[in-house]
Amino acid sequence: MSRRIFIFDTTLRDGEQSPGASLNIEEKVEIARQLARLRVDTIEAGFPASSPGDFEAVRRIAQTVQGPAIAALARVTPTDIDRAWEAIRYAARPCIHVFIGTSPIHRQYKLKMNAEAVLEAAVAAVRHARRYTSAVEFSAEDASRTEPEFLRQIFTAVIEAGATVINVPDTVGYATPVEFGRFIAALLAGIPNMDKAMLSVHCHDDLGLATANSLAAIAGGATQVEGTINGIGERAGNTALEEVVMALYTRRDVYDCETDVKTEEIYRTSRLVSSLTGMPVQYNKAVVGRNAFQHESGIHQDGVLKERTTYEIMNPAMIGLSQDNIVLGKLSGRHAFRHRLEQLGFNLSEEELNKAFERFKALADRKKEVTDRDLEAIVEDEVRVLPEKVALESLHISTGNRVVPTATVQLVVEGVPMQEAACGEGPVDAAFKAIDKIVGLEVNLLDYSLSAVTGGKDALGEVTARIELEGKAYVGRGFSTDIIEASVKAYLNALNKAIYETNYRLPVAQLARAKGGS
Ligand code: KIV
Ligand code: ZN
């Protein structure tokens, strides 16, 4: 019988530590719900002691998301552990995850503790956490650079103290597959009470080896793999869970292991994480990249048409990527539209459906074929999670290679129409400046990217804008066949998130008065 491998998702904790990624509470809850649909075994929802925002997000997820176990990270201090418990106590299956650095480098330079003190702190922390819950994971941070003998000692001691999972992180992505697989096998053989706990691995991708190392660890006997969707995370990121899951499935002849993941939800989860974090998925990314199932060369296309398996080792449908891609056009009705959205996994309210359908009709007028990717973009653009205090009403741009780019932007700010004009380095810059004038904020644009949702000259443009307000970053996305409009929508989306999170009071009355309004 196949061995069951448990999937521990840390997109909302380690993944959120990605430079540039920033999620608000509603977005975290939305991702957690999708992870539950994906059927991961554990969702690490955050690090409650790190900030009040993280605490609140973990608490909301623990209270509302059903299915997976909900884990919270804590250092080995009683205050961190108490805080973690406060946040997850209402989960059906709460798990406290405690960690401390174990390698000589971490002990000497970071912790300034000797091995004995590290071991004592780890044991005390596990005991403390066990008073709250029967599910306690212990991580030996930088385990792959820790003396094997000390690791055996500390793991044996924490299992004795009640740890139910021991985690072996390759924190800095230093391990190599053959070495790591052997390391895990030797550890498993050397821990006398290993029958009382599960061994987990947590790899980072600094050398591009995180997936390979995780699979080698499974071959060496590990039972749980930790990672993130799309491999996001600190520095070069974490193990991409979709890669591990699909490798285990596709090469079950080699690994003879299975997971409980509903693979058909992989693509949707990847899109959601990318869209909410604003971190694009590399085109040639394994499993979920937009080129992962594209065949460019004539020989390959011919082969796939004759027999898909000539050049495809996975069926795209298995990750939830529909193949009858071009589906709707100008003449498609509301019924077909709703049906296709449902097939894609979107269950919209009547009001949301109306908005999305209107947008679809407008797009179908400009674009011959509306693909599934277009439909996903429409839903993302029209069905926003947060209230939109600032919305675009109209936009007029004057630009050219011999004129000063000028934008006139009309917004509806908390129901009040307002208009401003501004000049800029280019039309996008001019439009953003006009918006800043209206809302009376000094916004710093950190990052801006533009791509096409599908091929063709009539493609929808997709813009990601990362802005900074009062020292915090916010990400927004916008879609339109007009790239200036897509840019403005992305900017406003980020701005709305910032306004929501900072509780910023828009100077509506003041601005309306200045414009002669009521
Ligand atoms: O990479 C790491 O070591 C971690 C631990 C906290 C598990 O993220
Ligand atoms: Zn990590």
Side-chain angles (χ1 to χ4, degrees):
M1 211 179 76
S2 308
R3 199 153 58 90
R4 168 85 147 84
I5 300 298
F6 292 82
I7 300 295
F8 179 108
D9 180 280
T10 182
T11 305
L12 296 171
R13 199 276 298 168
D14 219 335
E16 225 243 343
Q17 288 173 222
S18 304
S22 69
L23 296 165
N24 59 43
I25 294 179
E26 284 71 17
E27 290 167 334
K28 286 183 184 176
V29 172
E30 199 183 344
I31 290 178
R33 289 215 170 98
Q34 180 55 30
L35 290 170
R37 273 180 228 119
L38 182 66
R39 287 209 309 252
V40 300
D41 296 288
T42 303
I43 295 173
E44 184 163 54
F47 184 0
S50 68
S51 73
D54 229 38
F55 174 86
E56 190 49 32
V58 177
R59 199 166 65 97
R60 287 265 292 277
I61 290 169
Q63 283 172 338
T64 55
V65 178
Q66 312 292 327
I70 307 294
L73 187 70
R75 286 164 293 198
V76 291
T77 62
T79 44
D80 262 36
I81 297 168
D82 296 344
R83 196 89 178 124
W85 174 245
E86 263 316 296
I88 53 163
R89 61 188 305 166
Y90 298 109
R93 290 192 295 135
C95 168
I96 299 179
H97 176 190
V98 292
F99 76 100
I100 186 166
T102 51
S103 66
I105 299 179
H106 279 230
R107 292 186 327 242
Q108 184 181 348
Y109 297 106
K110 191 179 86 169
L111 301 169
K112 303 193 188 328
M113 286 165 86
N114 62 26
E116 206 182 11
V118 167
L119 189 144
E120 262 176 37
V123 167
V126 169
R127 285 211 182 103
H128 190 80
R130 269 305 297 253
R131 281 192 223 127
Y132 292 128
T133 172
S134 58
V136 174
E137 170 164 330
F138 170 76
S139 282
E141 193 189 10
D142 206 17
S144 55
R145 293 191 299 170
T146 301
E147 309 89 327
E149 184 42 39
F150 179 51
L151 265 191
R152 268 194 287 275
Q153 266 180 32
I154 197 164
F155 282 146
T156 307
V158 294
I159 294 173
E160 187 58 35
T164 44
V165 178
I166 53 162
N167 184 32
V168 186
D170 180 27
T171 304
V172 287
Y174 183 71
T176 61
V178 173
E179 170 201 37
F180 198 55
R182 287 189 187 136
F183 188 71
I184 296 299
L187 254 181
L188 280 167
I191 299 172
N193 47 2
M194 201 55 237
D195 57 318
K196 296 196 181 68
M198 178 155 88
L199 189 139
S200 174
V201 289
H202 173 115
C203 299
H204 278 265
D205 208 29
D206 299 65
L207 293 172
L209 294 172
T211 298
N213 285 335
S214 302
L215 291 169
I218 289 173
T223 314
Q224 176 172 281
V225 171
E226 306 193 357
T228 60
I229 301 299
N230 300 336
I232 63 171
E234 277 279 358
R235 307 181 308 279
N238 288 62
T239 301
L241 287 178
E242 66 278 5
E243 293 177 11
V244 172
V245 168
M246 289 314 290
L248 290 180
Y249 177 79
T250 308
R251 298 310 311 272
R252 51 197 181 282
D253 57 326
V254 173
Y255 294 103
D256 194 17
C257 289
E258 60 186 22
T259 69
D260 193 37
V261 166
K262 188 170 180 215
T263 60
E264 291 77 9
E265 292 290 336
I266 285 179
Y267 178 72
R268 246 171 89 66
T269 316
S270 161
R271 289 283 306 174
L272 183 71
V273 168
S274 166
S275 125
L276 295 182
T277 57
M279 301 196 63
V281 176
Q282 158 196 342
Y283 282 4
N284 61 331
K285 162 89 179 55
V287 183
V288 288
R290 78 196 269 175
N291 293 353
F293 294 97
Q294 302 276 334
H295 303 280
E296 190 65 23
S297 100
I299 296 175
H300 287 212
Q301 285 173 353
D302 180 56
V304 169
L305 286 175
K306 287 178 175 141
E307 166 53 43
R308 191 186 59 77
T309 54
T310 48
Y311 288 102
E312 266 180 16
I313 57 165
M314 291 172 270
N315 186 339
M318 267 218 74
I319 64 152
L321 202 54
S322 64
Q323 284 164 299
D324 48 343
N325 212 7
I326 296 166
V327 282
L328 301 178
K330 214 170 155 167
L331 299 177
S332 308
R334 210 184 136 80
H335 184 71
F337 177 71
R338 179 204 289 267
H339 183 66
R340 190 64 198 152
L341 285 186
E342 278 169 6
Q343 280 180 329
L344 291 173
F346 297 110
N347 288 310
L348 306 189
S349 69
E350 212 48 36
E351 194 193 334
E352 290 168 341
L353 190 80
N354 288 344
K355 273 168 83 181
F357 186 63
E358 232 176 80
R359 182 76 187 276
F360 158 72
K361 279 293 185 190
L363 180 65
D365 267 344
R366 296 198 219 174
K367 193 172 184 289
K368 223 170 106 212
E369 290 160 339
V370 179
T371 67
D372 289 345
R373 305 293 81 77
D374 293 322
L375 293 181
E376 286 166 4
I378 287 176
V379 173
E380 185 184 330
D381 217 26
E382 291 299 323
V383 185
R384 299 287 189 192
V385 184
L386 296 181
E388 285 199 289
K389 291 206 166 184
V390 185
L392 176 66
E393 181 63 23
S394 70
L395 177 66
H396 177 86
I397 301 288
S398 157
T399 191
N401 61 347
R402 288 172 192 244
V403 292
V404 178
T406 312
T408 306
V409 179
Q410 200 179 30
L411 301 180
V412 178
V413 183
E414 291 186 1
V416 181
M418 292 184 189
Q419 181 171 302
E420 273 293 353
C423 301
E425 295 297 323
V428 172
D429 184 42
F432 290 179
K433 283 191 171 130
I435 294 172
D436 291 355
K437 273 189 180 178
I438 295 177
V439 294
L441 281 169
E442 277 208 15
V443 179
N444 189 10
L445 181 67
L446 296 175
D447 202 3
Y448 170 94
S449 72
L450 166 68
S451 60
V453 172
T454 53
K457 286 186 183 152
D458 58 358
L460 267 183
E462 168 181 344
V463 171
T464 303
R466 181 171 281 112
I467 63 166
E468 186 188 49
L469 197 68
E470 292 173 5
K472 198 163 177 249
Y474 302 90
V475 174
R477 298 228 294 187
F479 301 84
S480 173
T481 46
D482 176 327
I483 58 172
I484 317 281
E485 188 182 357
S487 307
V488 165
K489 285 182 160 184
Y491 194 72
L492 290 178
N493 180 221
L495 204 56
N496 275 308
K497 289 183 187 176
I499 290 167
Y500 176 80
E501 204 161 308
T502 56
N503 263 325
Y504 176 74
R505 289 166 68 92
L506 289 152
V508 182
Q510 210 178 314
L511 289 164
R513 262 200 307 280
K515 307 248 164 317
S518 53

